[in-house]
Amino acid sequence: MPIATLNGIRLNYDVTGTGPLVVLVMGTGSPGRVWRTYQVPALVKAGFRVATFDNRGIAPSEESAHGMRIEDLVADTAALIELLGGPAHVVGTSLGARVTQELALARPDLVSRAVMLATTGRPHPLASSLSKGEQALQQQGVKLPPEYAAAIKAMLNLSPATMESDESAQQWLDIFEYSASVTPGPGVLAQMRMDRSRNRLADYARITVPSLVVGFADDRMLPPVFGREVAEAIPGARFVELEKCGHYGYLEQPEAVNRTIIDFLTSVNA
């Protein structure tokens, strides 16, 4: 994967396929390669050129351990689109969805269509409390047993439907247990500290980019009602709620998610 100096930082990115450009923006603490399991192959098969990248905070992109703002991530994404000869369709999940919304507002010239998965436009006490608690654990050097951390992460991020099968549940728990054993880098901690306290719903009334918001029915982190609020705030935006999906719905029900994204990106009337 090439590394370019964009917006004054190192940005690690990858491009696959040919056709109209789609840029995928990942959520907090995760590398861009997560998209490559399901979304990149489906989009390339559908005739798109697909770019994934590691947000600042995720090595080998600039870790920016001193801190960052969502405006920084928006400017990074804009710089990548310009490098790749945009405009582009932009798809983001969770924090990446909020970056997508802000990019559509700030730089509509760079965004052909915007897709936001598992998003929100305002803070919520539960999400804020969870974030503060996770930061406190890190600051105090408290490390939960990996098995327990894995179980908590599964309950927070996955649909009960995903966990019904013993085999599926164990596979996810194994993945989460391994990730829990890895100490977060300084860039990930900086992402976790980002200010998410502003209510941006009123501002989204100025978004003119054709937009799709996808809510995941079993999302405990960002329930679909928050995504519906974003869709109602953006003029003409569509809202779709997908069943049997938690916060990681794009990994739990990839066929449904990919079909929803591709149908929107290829529709004549967005």
Side-chain angles (χ1 to χ4, degrees), residues 14 21 89 112 125 211 213 246 263 267:
D14 185 63
L21 178 62
H89 302 308
S112 301
S211 300
V213 179
D263 285 350
S267 64

Side-chain angles (χ1 to χ4, degrees), residues 210-226:
S211 300
L212 169 68
V213 179
V214 179
F216 298 139
D218 298 328
D219 190 344
R220 294 182 181 89
M221 298 292 286
L222 291 174
V225 63
F226 297 129

Side-chain angles (χ1 to χ4, degrees), residues 76-90:
D76 297 343
T77 308
L80 178 62
I81 293 173
E82 290 176 326
L83 174 73
L84 298 177
H89 302 308
V90 184

Side-chain angles (χ1 to χ4, degrees), residues 103-215:
L103 179 65
L105 178 61
R107 295 294 308 272
D109 57 307
L110 293 179
V111 184
S112 301
R113 297 187 183 189
V115 179
M116 287 73 77
L117 313 175
T119 193
T120 184
R122 63 179 176 89
H124 184 271
L126 181 58
S128 299
S129 182
L130 179 63
S131 177
K132 290 176 182 177
E134 290 176 337
Q135 292 176 50
L137 289 174
Q138 295 295 332
Q139 291 166 0
Q140 296 171 23
V142 177
K143 195 167 183 62
L144 299 174
E147 300 90 344
Y148 181 69
I152 294 298
K153 190 167 185 178
M155 287 190 287
L156 287 174
N157 290 283
L158 300 177
S159 167
T162 300
M163 303 302 285
E164 285 177 357
S165 160
D166 288 2
E167 181 180 0
S168 175
Q170 192 59 60
Q171 288 175 346
W172 278 103
L173 289 168
D174 289 344
I175 292 170
F176 290 157
E177 186 174 337
Y178 172 77
S179 64
S181 68
V182 179
T183 301
V188 172
L189 298 179
Q191 282 192 354
M192 293 170 61
R193 294 194 304 268
M194 286 176 57
D195 179 18
R196 296 171 170 84
S197 64
R198 292 179 295 169
N199 186 327
R200 299 287 288 159
L201 291 173
D203 297 276
Y204 293 158
R206 294 186 283 112
I207 292 178
T208 58
V209 172
S211 300
L212 169 68
V213 179
V214 179

